[in-house]
Amino acid sequence: MSVYEAVKVRLDPTPRQARLLASHAGAARFAYNAGLAHVKDMLENGEPPEWSHYSLVRWWNANKDTLAVNPDTGVVWWSQNSKETYSMALRDLAQGLSYWSKSRKGQRKGKRVGFPRFKSKNSAMRFAYSTAFTAPTASDPYGLKLSRIGRVHCMENVYKRVDGARLVRVNVSYRAGRWYASLTVEREQPSSPTRVRKRGAVGVDLGVKHLATLSDGTVIPNSRALDARLKALRKAQQALSRKTMGSVRRRKAKERVARLYARVTDVRMDAINKATTMIARTYSTVCIEDLNVAGMVKNHRLARRLSDASLGEFRRQLEYKTARTGATLRVVDRWYPSSKTCSNCGTVKAKLSLSERVYRCDVCGLSIDRDLNAAINIMVAGSAPETVNARGGDARRADTMSGNADPSETRTKQPPTGGVKLGAGLGNEAMRSRID
């Protein structure tokens, strides 16, 4: 069975190639905005909307000689960029319009999708290829050939990272002064993973003080990427606010702020990627909590640190990485009192403040680290058979908690009043079914 993966690498273009990349990104933005203006005109005039990818491309080919014209010189410039740039931009527009239409009719699940908006020059520069590119070869492992741009040097061995997979699409983006290429590859997934794990089940307790505490005593430190650079960010943003709009100095100050934020993101993602990869490769069963992160960040005293820890991203990566390695991901009910329950005798405390970092049981006398105690309880709850769901009924949640289902659609907002709360649903069941 084949699966799709993304391989992201940093590009090292020459000054000429950098100008061509920026030109392609601008051309994609122009085609997107022109197509969106055309659709809005049709809607305002009461005409039947034609916003499929084929219709938009056909309209663009019929009008590009009058649209893509330099107003000062009158030169038609669309031929300076690859045709894929315009086609993929219009494809993104058609997809956005389709999502809006289906969401408006109630045919699309999830949060309601708004009508597409025009793209600004100040937004992130990006464009894509679905063809007209050449995959890296063994003789040139660091080269990526793009239409109208040529061979662009990459900072990593792309041929090794692609590892023989079929290259489907190339997305090029610009962030904080650097160009990146995200390669979508189609790879054959083995039916049974060959990796041998050394350990069995593990419970993972996510937090702010430590990014993750495992039930076997392993502690993964929190990188605190934002806190470490908060002072520099404040200083850079204060300097940015004092610059004149449209000036060169303001542009340079804005780039400095972007570089600082990019560094924060890179440090955070590096820590999460290493931690989730280690867990997915080491353990056969991973048990985590179904945390209500959106509700937790409403506590303004913890919002910044919770967002800095990126707990939702941690779970997202665990879902697809455990599916790749063949491990089982079990998600414990969010109302299960893992922190208040004694991992030795099962006594549940009525209250436990966040300042109490050591759990002390009044019944059996157990004294243990708060996060380690919660991790052990999560492992036990995830390994136990489920008997009662969150609403108190005799039903399993294997289907409602499988894959990437939205927990808000299947969970009650009130904790259960009674019943056994052990047991969990599979967190990566849907992903594993697609792979198998």
Side-chain angles (χ1 to χ4, degrees):
M1 187 65 179
S2 60
V3 295
Y4 290 97
E5 297 179 5
V7 177
K8 190 173 184 178
V9 294
R10 179 186 163 192
L11 302 178
D12 184 24
T14 63
R16 174 184 171 275
Q17 290 176 339
R19 290 192 296 270
L20 289 174
L21 291 172
S23 175
H24 278 68
R29 178 183 55 82
F30 180 87
Y32 182 95
N33 290 343
L36 181 56
H38 169 64
V39 171
K40 294 186 73 173
D41 288 342
M42 287 193 300
L43 294 175
E44 292 176 357
N45 296 331
E47 302 176 9
E50 296 181 358
W51 56 47
S52 66
H53 180 216
Y54 174 76
S55 300
L56 291 175
V57 170
R58 184 176 58 182
W59 168 83
W60 168 261
N61 290 332
N63 298 273
K64 58 186 178 182
D65 289 334
T66 57
L67 292 172
V69 179
N70 190 318
D72 298 329
T73 61
V75 177
V76 179
W77 52 262
W78 63 264
S79 59
Q80 299 174 6
N81 304 293
S82 173
K83 64 178 183 179
E84 276 294 294
T85 303
Y86 310 106
S87 177
M88 296 304 292
L90 294 173
R91 180 179 180 180
D92 292 341
L93 174 61
Q95 190 176 46
L97 289 167
S98 175
Y99 288 162
W100 168 75
S101 177
K102 291 180 180 179
S103 178
R104 187 184 181 190
K105 297 176 182 178
Q107 300 174 356
R108 188 178 189 274
K109 296 182 180 180
K111 189 177 179 180
R112 185 164 183 174
V113 180
F115 192 80
R117 300 179 181 179
F118 291 104
K119 293 187 177 181
S120 169
K121 288 185 177 180
N122 298 325
S123 60
M125 294 190 293
R126 58 171 57 93
F127 61 97
Y129 289 90
S130 63
T131 183
F133 55 79
T134 303
T137 59
S139 59
D140 187 16
Y142 288 84
L144 181 63
K145 295 182 180 179
L146 304 176
S147 176
R148 294 293 178 133
I149 297 175
R151 179 195 178 277
V152 183
H153 184 75
C154 302
M155 302 296 288
E156 300 180 55
N157 189 329
V158 189
Y159 178 77
K160 182 179 179 180
R161 293 197 59 186
V162 172
D163 193 22
R166 186 174 73 90
L167 188 56
V168 178
R169 174 170 169 157
V170 177
N171 292 272
V172 183
S173 59
Y174 180 83
R175 180 173 68 96
R178 296 174 178 176
W179 287 96
Y180 296 89
S182 181
L183 284 65
T184 303
V185 298
E186 185 180 10
R187 192 186 308 277
E188 290 295 330
Q189 186 76 9
S191 57
S192 59
T194 58
R195 186 177 301 278
V196 179
R197 294 176 185 81
K198 300 179 181 179
R199 304 175 188 178
V202 67
V204 182
D205 179 67
L206 303 179
V208 174
K209 182 179 180 181
H210 304 296
L211 179 60
T213 302
L214 309 188
S215 58
D216 60 2
T218 304
V219 177
I220 301 174
N222 189 357
S223 62
R224 300 182 184 272
L226 181 59
D227 281 354
R229 291 157 186 84
L230 195 58
K231 184 177 180 180
L233 275 169
R234 286 171 176 168
K235 186 176 180 181
Q237 288 175 328
Q238 187 180 46
L240 173 64
S241 65
R242 294 173 176 173
K243 299 296 186 292
T244 306
M245 293 291 294
S247 64
V248 177
R249 290 186 176 182
R250 181 176 178 86
R251 177 177 58 82
K252 293 181 178 180
K254 186 177 180 180
E255 291 175 354
R256 171 168 172 75
V257 173
R259 286 194 300 269
L260 286 171
Y261 272 115
R263 178 61 179 172
V264 169
T265 303
D266 292 342
V267 171
R268 181 190 299 127
M269 294 300 294
D270 179 71
I272 295 178
N273 269 295
K274 289 178 178 178
T276 52
T277 300
M278 182 274 293
I279 294 173
R281 290 179 177 178
T282 306
Y283 303 94
S284 58
T285 302
V286 182
C287 307
I288 59 173
E289 279 185 300
D290 178 28
L291 295 176
N292 181 19
V293 181
M296 294 167 65
V297 296
K298 293 181 180 180
N299 183 346
H300 298 293
R301 295 183 178 181
L302 297 174
R304 191 185 73 216
R305 287 181 171 83
L306 284 170
S307 300
D308 190 15
S310 192
L311 305 182
E313 177 65 17
F314 194 100
R315 173 178 169 177
R316 187 193 71 85
Q317 292 191 17
L318 268 183
E319 287 181 351
Y320 75 83
K321 289 182 180 181
T322 51
R324 285 181 184 176
T325 59
T328 301
L329 179 66
R330 295 192 172 274
V331 182
V332 179
D333 189 273
R334 66 177 55 176
W335 301 116
Y336 175 65
S338 59
S339 298
K340 297 180 180 180
T341 304
C342 177
S343 59
N344 185 41
C345 65
T347 303
V348 180
K349 282 192 172 185
K351 293 183 179 180
L352 184 67
S353 63
L354 290 175
S355 59
E356 298 182 46
R357 304 312 306 171
V358 178
Y359 182 91
R360 293 181 175 87
C361 182
D362 299 331
V363 177
C364 65
L366 176 68
S367 180
I368 188 174
D369 180 78
R370 172 200 183 104
D371 297 334
L372 178 58
N373 178 71
I376 295 173
N377 290 328
I378 291 172
M379 181 193 67
V380 174
S383 304
E386 185 179 40
T387 56
V388 177
N389 67 0
R391 289 185 173 86
D394 294 331
R396 295 182 60 86
R397 281 192 311 276
D399 292 335
T400 59
M401 285 305 300
S402 63
N404 55 0
D406 187 3
S408 62
E409 296 179 359
T410 58
R411 295 303 180 90
T412 177
K413 294 185 178 180
Q414 298 296 330
T417 57
V420 181
K421 305 177 186 66
L422 297 181
L426 288 175
N428 61 351
E429 185 181 65
M431 289 187 176
R432 293 181 63 187
S433 62
R434 288 197 295 265
I435 292 177
D436 296 340

